[in-house]
Structure formats: C-alpha cells, structure tokens
C-alpha cells in the first residue's frame, strides 16, 4: 500500500517536471479534477500544486475520483513519447544526432507558470522547441533564467498600467541544476576587463528537448551582476551587453562543458550573436587554425532569424562597452579593435559606427531569414547596405513564415472534435492537406455548438478576472453587474497585443460614434475583449492602453467592451479559444509576422486583419476578413484614418451581416462555412510543425552537411 501511495505522487511529479504536460489536456485535467481551486491559485504550476498535497491526501482524492488509471495512462504516454524511435527527425535528421541543433533565444514562452518570456518572440521560441520535440529533431535550447521574469500588469482605477514583479521560486519550477563532469553544479565563467562574470545553469525538459538556462544570481558575482538575469529587457546598455554576453558566450560555454558539439547554431534574433565569436574562438583553439578559416567554418553552420522590422529595434553597442566586455575575446581572436568592431558594422571603415548584433549575425550566418514573406522583403531592404554590390532582391535574407504549436493553443473540445472527425492521429499529420478535407463533413450545428461553449468559457474567465480586478479597486458598480458582462449571443471580437504604437491598438476607437452605434445596435450588436501590456518605459503605449480602459468604463458601452489585465500565455489561450473574430491592425508593413491570429484558426475563430505579416500570405477572400487591400501611405495619420475606415466597412458590410444571418435552427450557416474554409485552408500551413520542418529541410540539414564536408 505504502509503495503505491508514493508511486502515485511520484508519477505525477515525473509528469509535472516535463513540460510535455503543457500540451496534453488529459494531464492538465488530472490536476483540475484533483482541485480546481488550488490549480488556479498556483497559476497552473503542477509542481507547486503537488507541494501542497501530501501523498496520502492525493491517494484519497485519486481514489474518490477514480483517477488511478488516468494517471497511469498519462505516465505511460509520456514514456512512450520519450522512447519513440520512429520520429520524423530520426528518419530525416540522422546526421544531427551526434551534433545537434543549438537554438539560442533571449526568451522562451512555454507556459504561464514559467515566466521567462515577454511576448511574441518568446512564444515563438517556445513553440519552436515543442514542435522540434514532437518531430524528434535533435535540438537543444539555450536561454536565460529570469528570476523575476517580465512584469505582471495591474491597472489602477484610472486605467493606468502599473508593473509588479514576482520572484520565481526555483524550487517550485521545472528547472533542475545541470551538473558538470564531476557531478558538481556546473558554473560558467566569462572573463571581462572589469572582472569575471559567473553563471550557474539550469535545465528544463520540454518533451524530448533540453532547454538550458543561465542564471547569474550566484555567490561570487557582484551585487549588480547577481541581478543581471532578474528581468527581461530592463536596464541600460551596459546591463544589456552583459546579459547578451551571458546568453551568447555563456551559452556556447555550456556546450563545451558538456562536450556537446553543435551541428547547427540557430540564433533566434540578434541578442545571442556573441555565440558566434565564442564558437570561432573554440574552433581556432581546437583545430589550430587562424581566425579567418575558423570564421568561415563556423559560418557554414550558423543560421540566423531576424524578427525586427524597425531599424532602431536592433541592439547596438559603442566601442568602449565592447572593449570592456569583449576585449579579452578580441585578443584571443587575434584582432585589433577596428577589425573586431568591423564584424558588427554595416560600413567597416566607419570608426564612429557602433557594433550591431544583427550585423554580426548577418555577416556570419550561412543562412538568414525573416518571419513572413513581407518581412523577408523589409529585411532585404533594411540590410541592403551590407551587400551594396548586389541588387536588393539578391540580399541573402529569405523567409520562413512563423507557425504556432497547435496543441498548446487548441482547446480540448476542438481537439476532441478533430479526433473523432479527422482521425485519432490528426495532430501528427497536420501538415498534410488531406487531413483537413474531412472538415467539410463535420456537422455545422456541432461545430457551432462547440464554438459557442468555448465562447461561454471565455466569458466566464473574463468575468472572474474582472471581478478580481473590481474587488481590488473597489469598483462596486462593476461588481454588481458582473453577470451581465459580455453575452455569448453577441458577435465577440478579441484584440490582444503589445501596446507598441505601430500595432495601433486603438484603431477601432478612431471613430467613437460609429463604434458606439455598432456596440449599441439593438438587433446586431458587437462586443470587444481587449488585453495587452505596454513596455514599462513606453508612456505613449500606456496612454493608448488607458484610452481603451477609460472607454470601456463609459456607460454607453458598459459590459460590451472589456479590458482584461495581464495578457500572458493563460489570458492568450482563453482569448484565442473563445472569440468569434480576432482583430489585428498594425501599421503595414511593420508586423514581422504576428502569430496570435494563427492561434484562433483551429479553434474556429476568424481573422480580421490588415494584409501584413502572415495574413498577407494566408487570406484568400473566403477564409476570414481583410482590412483594406494592402495599401500603405507615407503619412502615418492618413494610413491610420484610411485603415480605420476599412475596418468599420468590413464590420458593417461583411462581418456583422454574415454573423447574424441564421438558419431555422439558429446556426449562422454562412459563417460556419467560412470557419470550415479557414480551418481547411490555413490549418496545414500556419503551424509550428510546418515551420520547424522548413527550418530543418532548408537550413539545418544543408548547414550540418556543409560543415561535415568542410572538416573531412
Ligand atoms: C501569441 C502571443 C503573442 C504574439 O502575438 P502577435 O500576434 O505577434 O502580437 C504575444 N503575447 C502572447 C501572450 C501571446 O500568446
């Protein structure tokens, strides 16, 4: 009996320590069934959950709820997953097995309980790891362990954003210490002119993938350095270069300490580009070859993904900061200051130019890409000066369009519908178009009912959140009407984003009277759920956000416009699963890709978006809605006003009539037809399995092949 008690707790602990559980609803439901209240209190962290339940109590609850077989089944599924031989990666990426892909990123968004991400870039990196795991591609992730993460957003009574930082309790996180060859905790040391920097290393299991995270909060570091990995994107230039030193050079050192030879270095954005320098240094020492030969060799297996379509968004460091932090590295590479700085300069001869991380990456990667077709073009234009002798079209930056890790974003209800209608194994075959043909056979009423139940779930979530918020702020009026907030029978628009000005989060408020008419329409009204954070130092972003919050308090749209605090993985998941329409209206062409709209597709949501990023490739006239026709204007205010007009037109002429056109049984049949067409035409393309396969076939395999030839 005793054995069985401990094994149940142990089995759940094993499940809790591999983030595989985050995309398996059958595991999540075990925790919610055990105690939904506690599950919420611990922010969906199963390790924290288990720390609050004794093995005896767990055994008792499991017996009451007849959970034994479900726990055992989940445990068996995890083991089968980890030991599976016949994966796509095993079949196609054999030559990466001894030398894996090493994927560097400054943030990884894997789940709300591990807050080491801020937004889209991190979520994309997390989705990349999860699909690499599902496909069985030999890959290791490298990042930073932020012990306070990104901020939690609170709104004050006036709708102004305030930031809270919560400390991560590492003992209740899925991270475990990485040991060195002698079994001691691995410590990485980086020498700079102003002293050494130390970091310890943690490891998180993401299915089959290991994610290594550097943490500077250890004894031996100065007080300042101990805070280096506290927060994402805080601090000044100096803090930033030290973070990037840790990520790039520290990350490459982890590989050396563990005797891992990279087959491919994949730099996700420029933050980690110093890894290139450390890898060149290693190859020079190991193979006893000079800088230029080592550099050439390392570039054969370095690939780079850029995400930022705005020139000012790329990290640049002045010469003195570079010398302080990388002077020792520079000497080891055998370069003088100007030769070294030239590696990161657009114009090597311009001694006033700072060192740009993106330039370092672009000049030293054999393959580089933007994250949508438009963004590839924007990047070629932006970096044309690096290749002045070539025509713009031949600037060597292509594109691989982002995708999302479907099972992390798909509602369990839709998953179940797909399992019964498309086949039990639909998820492993989602990149094939045939899988989606059967969507047509799903009964309209069944699909609509499933969608409606998800919308109701979203509404209950929003009410819970607003209740909590109103209690904190003492907003009695809101508390009294909590049950009237949002209505499942009303066309529901979701709009969640970072409040950067180019995303134009307030576009739909640009004609307040027109919006008020749409919201207050007695027969065919609309309602909107907003969420999103502004960067702590971006006051214009905060003003934009405040404008929306204030508007939501206006009696004219009370209960029909809401702002949900603290947009994170969890809020995002609820939103994308429950809305009818996902609104995205960035200023074209500044959205690199935009992935949130991809998350709604398989949940039955329709996109309403500017033809920018992925939507420009996806929209076919029948699988969602476009704002405008892809036009642009040099004058920002004119583009804003035009896009506002297009947005209202789409709502008034297309979306609202279609949504409220019902058949005798109350189903909006034309709308459902569009939902089905969206799923069928978009599902197979805009997912992370397709994206990671593209990286494997177009980047990883050729790069790994080239280097093995070079070293023979
Ligand atoms: C998906 C997601 C993003 C990125 O969405 P975009 O469309 O690129 O803005 C940002 N934050 C969260 C929480 C997300 O889930």
């Amino acid at each position: 009996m005793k054995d069985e008690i401990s094994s149940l707790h142990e089995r759940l602990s094993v499940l809790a320590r591999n983030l595989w559980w985050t995309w398996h609803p059958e595991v999540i439901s075990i925790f919610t069934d055990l105690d939904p209240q506690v599950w919420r209190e611990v922010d969906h962290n199963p390790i924290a959950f288990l720390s609050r339940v004794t093995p005896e109590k767990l055994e008792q609850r499991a017996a009451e709820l007849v959970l034994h077989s479900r726990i055992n089944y989940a445990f068996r599924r995890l083991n089968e997953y980890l030991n599976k031989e016949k994966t796509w990666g095993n079949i196609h990426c054999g030559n990466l097995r001894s030398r894996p892909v090493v994927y560097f990123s400054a943030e990884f968004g894997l789940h709300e309980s591990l807050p080491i991400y801020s937004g889209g870039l991190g979520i994309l990196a997390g989705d990349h790891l999860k699909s690499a795991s599902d496909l069985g591609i030999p890959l290791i992730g490298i990042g930073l362990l932020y012990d306070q993460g990104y901020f939690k957003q609170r709104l004050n009574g006036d709708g102004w954003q305030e930031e809270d930082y919560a400390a991560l309790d590492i003992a209740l996180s899925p991270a475990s210490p990485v040991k060195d060859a002698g079994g001691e905790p691995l410590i990485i040391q980086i020498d700079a002119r102003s002293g050494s920097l130390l970091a310890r290393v943690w490891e998180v299991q993401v299915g089959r993938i290991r994610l290594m995270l550097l943490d500077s909060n250890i004894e031996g570091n100065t007080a300042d350095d101990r805070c280096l990995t506290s927060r994402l994107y805080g601090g000044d230039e100096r803090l930033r270069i030290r973070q990037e030193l840790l990520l790039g050079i520290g990350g490459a050192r982890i590989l050396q300490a563990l005797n891992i030879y990279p087959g491919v270095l994949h730099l996700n954005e420029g933050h980690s580009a110093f890894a290139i320098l450390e890898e060149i240094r290693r190859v020079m020492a190991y193979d006893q070859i000079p800088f230029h030969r080592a550099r050439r060799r390392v570039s054969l297996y370095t690939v780079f993904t850029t995400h930022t379509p705005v020139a000012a968004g790329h990290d640049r460091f002045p010469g003195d900061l570079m010398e302080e932090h990388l002077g020792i590295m520079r000497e080891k590479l055998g370069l003088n200051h100007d030769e070294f700085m030239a590696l990161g300069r657009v114009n090597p001869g311009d001694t006033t130019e700072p060192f740009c991380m993106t330039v370092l990456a672009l000049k030293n990667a054999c393959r580089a890409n933007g994250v949508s077709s438009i963004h590839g073009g924007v990047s070629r234009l932006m970096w044309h000066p690096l290749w002045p002798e070539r025509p713009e079209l031949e600037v060597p930056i292509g594109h691989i369009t982002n995708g999302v890790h479907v099972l992390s974003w798909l509602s369990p209800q839709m998953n179940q519908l797909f399992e019964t209608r498309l086949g039990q194994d639909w998820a492993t075959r989602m990149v094939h178009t045939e899988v989606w043909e059967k969507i047509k056979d799903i009964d309209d009423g069944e699909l609509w009912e499933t969608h409606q139940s998800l919308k109701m779930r979203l509404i209950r979530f929003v009410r819970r959140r607003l209740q909590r918020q109103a209690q904190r702020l003492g907003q009695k009026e809101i508390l009294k009407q909590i049950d009237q907030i949002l209505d499942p029978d009303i066309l529901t628009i979701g709009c969640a984003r970072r409040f950067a000005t180019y995303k134009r989060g307030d576009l739909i408020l640009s004609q307040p009277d027109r919006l008020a008419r749409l919201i207050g329409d007695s027969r065919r009204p609309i309602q909107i759920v907003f969420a999103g954070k502004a960067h702590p130092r971006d006051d214009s972003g905060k003003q934009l956000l405040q404008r929306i919050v204030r508007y939501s308090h206006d009696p004219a749209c009370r209960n029909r416009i809401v702002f949900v605090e603290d947009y994170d993985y969890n809020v995002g998941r609820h939103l994308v699963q429950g809305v009818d329409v996902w609104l995205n209206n960035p200023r074209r062409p500044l959205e690199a890709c935009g992935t949130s709209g991809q998350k709604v597709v398989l949940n039955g949501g329709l996109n309403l978006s500017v033809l920018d990023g992925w939507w420009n490739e996806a929209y076919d006239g029948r699988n969602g809605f476009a704002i405008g026709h892809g036009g642009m204007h040099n004058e920002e205010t004119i583009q804003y006003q035009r896009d506002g007009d297009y947005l209202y037109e789409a709502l008034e002429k297309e979306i609202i009539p279609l949504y409220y056109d019902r058949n005798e049984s109350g189903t909006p049949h034309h709308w459902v037809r569009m939902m089905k067409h969206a799923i069928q035409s978009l599902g197979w393309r805009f997912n992370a399995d397709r994206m990671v396969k593209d990286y494997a076939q177009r980047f990883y395999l050729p790069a790994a092949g080239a280097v093995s030839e070079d070293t023979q």
Side-chain angles (χ1 to χ4, degrees), residues 49 68 135 172 191 214 234 285 347 365 402 452 547 563 651 657:
F49 182 97
H68 279 88
L135 293 168
L172 298 180
D191 297 323
L214 291 129
N347 177 0
N402 286 341
Q452 281 296 98
R547 180 157 175 236
F563 191 101
L651 284 168

Side-chain angles (χ1 to χ4, degrees), residues 248-263:
I249 296 184
R253 293 258 165 94
I254 299 177
L255 304 174
Q256 294 161 23
L258 301 179
N259 284 319
I260 296 168
Y261 294 91

Side-chain angles (χ1 to χ4, degrees), residues 448-449 452 455 488-491 580 656-671:
W448 184 246
E449 284 311 313
Q452 281 296 98
K455 200 198 295 183
D489 292 325
I490 294 180
L491 171 62
D580 296 308
I656 295 172
L658 195 71
Y659 182 84
Y660 286 104
D661 177 9
R662 305 293 167 117
N663 65 11
E664 343 42 273
S665 53
T667 307
H669 41 161
H670 294 297
W671 187 275

Side-chain angles (χ1 to χ4, degrees), residues 117-121 123 409 496-498 503 567-569 572-573 582 584 591 593-597 599:
Y117 66 96
S118 74
L121 179 72
I123 303 244
W409 299 104
R497 58 188 29 91
R498 201 153 43 83
K503 295 244 187 190
Y567 181 40
D568 69 350
Y569 211 112
R573 196 169 45 230
W582 190 257
N584 187 31
E591 183 83 298
C593 176
T595 54
S596 53
K599 300 169 192 163

Side-chain angles (χ1 to χ4, degrees), residues 345-349 353 359 363 379-397:
R345 281 179 177 150
V346 176
N347 177 0
E353 197 183 314
V359 173
K363 283 190 180 182
S379 303
R380 283 190 292 277
L381 175 65
M382 183 157 52
W383 299 109
H384 192 192
L386 277 177
W387 290 274
E389 72 290 355
R390 300 193 189 190
E392 187 185 314
L393 259 176
E394 287 171 27
V395 169
I397 305 175

Side-chain angles (χ1 to χ4, degrees), residues 94-99 262-264 287 296-302 700-712:
N95 65 344
L96 290 169
R97 219 168 306 160
S98 57
R99 291 176 163 243
V264 177
D287 290 335
R296 189 181 153 271
R297 178 165 312 154
V298 170
S299 79
L300 289 176
Y301 57 93
T302 301
Y700 300 162
L701 293 172
V707 71
S708 60
E709 266 167 40
D710 189 66
T711 44
Q712 265 162 21

Side-chain angles (χ1 to χ4, degrees), residues 641-660:
Q641 199 200 334
R642 275 190 194 160
D643 284 348
D645 278 333
Y646 284 130
L647 168 57
Y648 289 111
E649 254 169 51
L651 284 168
E652 290 162 353
K653 298 211 175 104
E654 289 182 77
I655 298 173
I656 295 172
L658 195 71
Y659 182 84
Y660 286 104

